[in-house]
Amino acid sequence: FLEKSPAVELPIKFIPKCAGRYCCQILLKSSCDVRVYVVECIVNAVRAEAELEFLSPAYQAVTQDIPISNMSHQDWKFEAVLEGHSFYGPPVLYVGPGETVQYPLMFKPIAEC
């Protein structure tokens, strides 16, 4: 016959400074028990929206470098999905921890539009 132990709350306050993956271990010890809890928090950056306006003569390309800054401690892999005609850019972009990488977005109209 096992008696159920009363639940004990362990309040944890987590205040991340930037987006990233945060891992920690919580070690609880008593005279008759040892427990390790692994806690992992994933913090996403606030989604930002931007608008770019391109003016270019027909058949001439214009490229806008868009800075992507990774302030986390993890490698980032972006997959770019470009919607609309005449836009080009790399399909994948890698940004290392603490790095800023330029994403070259090109607009090359094939006709007046």
Side-chain angles (χ1 to χ4, degrees), residues 45 66-72 76 78 95-102:
I66 302 170
I68 307 293
S69 296
N70 179 355
M71 301 313 221
S72 76
W76 285 357
F78 285 94
V95 184
E99 290 183 345
T100 297
V101 174
Q102 302 294 328

Side-chain angles (χ1 to χ4, degrees), residues 54-62 107-113:
F54 289 90
L55 296 174
S56 172
Y59 303 104
Q60 291 186 18
V62 62
F107 177 64
K108 186 176 181 181
I110 57 173
E112 190 174 323
C113 60

Side-chain angles (χ1 to χ4, degrees), residues 3-72:
E3 196 172 308
K4 206 172 194 181
S5 300
V8 176
E9 290 186 24
L10 178 65
I12 297 173
K13 187 173 187 177
F14 173 65
I15 304 173
K17 293 186 179 179
C18 60
R21 178 173 287 172
Y22 298 85
C23 299
C24 77
Q25 292 183 351
I26 300 171
L27 175 65
L28 301 177
K29 294 193 293 186
S30 72
S31 58
C32 60
D33 195 8
V34 175
R35 295 179 188 212
V36 177
Y37 293 91
V38 177
V39 178
E40 179 180 55
C41 296
I42 298 174
V43 178
N44 295 320
V46 176
R47 289 185 174 247
E49 292 187 23
E51 183 175 316
L52 299 174
E53 185 174 320
F54 289 90
L55 296 174
S56 172
Y59 303 104
Q60 291 186 18
V62 62
T63 300
Q64 173 69 52
D65 288 328
I66 302 170
I68 307 293
S69 296
N70 179 355
M71 301 313 221
S72 76

